């Protein structure tokens, strides 16, 4: 069962609605929210809790979601990593969808829905069982 989700999105309104969807899906899930990819990377590079799932926006100032993925993939192999990353975007550009697939992450259109959370929970369970 998913215990912790990280939201990385510079849009406070999107984060608010995504947090509400997560709480509606399962009120016991801990939510960590960052408005910048740089701050999220600092969190992930520290000794703090690693989320089970990350929902990541593509277009953000400072560091884009793609740049975040580049840096995230450099995190030491000895450190635990989040098992599921989903790009959340308003973009329906096929190039973005293909790029996400090349990174091995899921791609969904905003907003985060209960159906998406259910799918993510299923993917998470499958990954955990495969470990």
């Amino acid at each position: 069962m998913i215990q912790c989700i990280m939201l990385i999105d510079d849009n406070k309104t999107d984060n608010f609605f995504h947090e509400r969807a997560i709480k509606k899906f399962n009120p016991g899930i801990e939510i960590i929210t960052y408005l910048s990819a740089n701050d999220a990377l600092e969190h992930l590079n520290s000794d703090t809790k690693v989320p089970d799932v990350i929902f990541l926006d593509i277009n953000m100032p400072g560091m884009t979601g793609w740049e975040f993925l580049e840096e995230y993939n450099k995190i030491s192999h000895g450190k635990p990593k989040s098992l599921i990353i989903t790009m959340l975007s308003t973009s329906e550009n096929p190039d973005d969808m293909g790029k996400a697939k090349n990174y091995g992450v899921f791609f969904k259109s905003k907003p985060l829905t209960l159906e998406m959370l259910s799918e993510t929970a299923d993917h998470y369970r499958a990954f955990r069982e495969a470990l």
Side-chain angles (χ1 to χ4, degrees):
M1 168 141 273
I2 297 171
Q3 296 180 13
C4 182
I5 293 176
M6 178 180 281
L7 300 173
I8 307 170
D9 194 322
D10 63 309
N11 186 316
K12 291 180 183 181
T13 304
D14 285 347
N15 284 330
F16 173 78
F17 285 110
H18 294 165
E19 286 177 21
R20 287 187 62 186
I22 293 166
K23 288 299 179 188
K24 190 172 187 178
F25 178 74
N26 181 340
I29 294 176
E30 178 184 354
I31 303 169
I32 303 167
T33 305
Y34 283 100
L35 297 172
S36 101
N38 282 317
D39 291 344
L41 274 173
E42 284 182 32
H43 172 101
L44 294 166
N45 278 317
S46 69
D47 289 329
T48 57
K49 185 174 187 173
V50 176
D52 302 311
V53 173
I54 296 173
F55 288 103
L56 175 65
D57 186 28
I58 292 177
N59 297 311
M60 295 180 284
M63 177 184 283
T64 68
W66 304 121
E67 292 166 333
F68 170 88
L69 288 174
E70 287 290 327
E71 294 302 314
Y72 181 78
N73 286 330
K74 294 177 187 175
I75 291 175
S76 169
H77 294 293
K79 288 187 89 146
K81 287 182 145 185
S82 301
L83 294 179
I84 305 282
I85 298 178
T86 299
M87 303 292 291
L88 282 178
S89 179
T90 55
S91 168
E92 292 188 22
N93 182 337
D95 292 340
D96 286 339
M97 293 176 196
K99 195 171 183 180
K101 188 175 182 178
N102 288 339
Y103 274 103
V105 301
F106 298 100
F107 185 95
K108 299 287 184 183
S109 294
K110 287 181 183 180
L112 183 60
T113 65
L114 294 176
E115 182 180 325
M116 285 182 210
L117 287 162
S118 182
E119 287 174 12
T120 300
D122 290 344
H123 290 303
Y124 179 77
R125 255 190 305 280
F127 279 127
R128 293 293 299 171
E129 289 170 3
L131 293 177

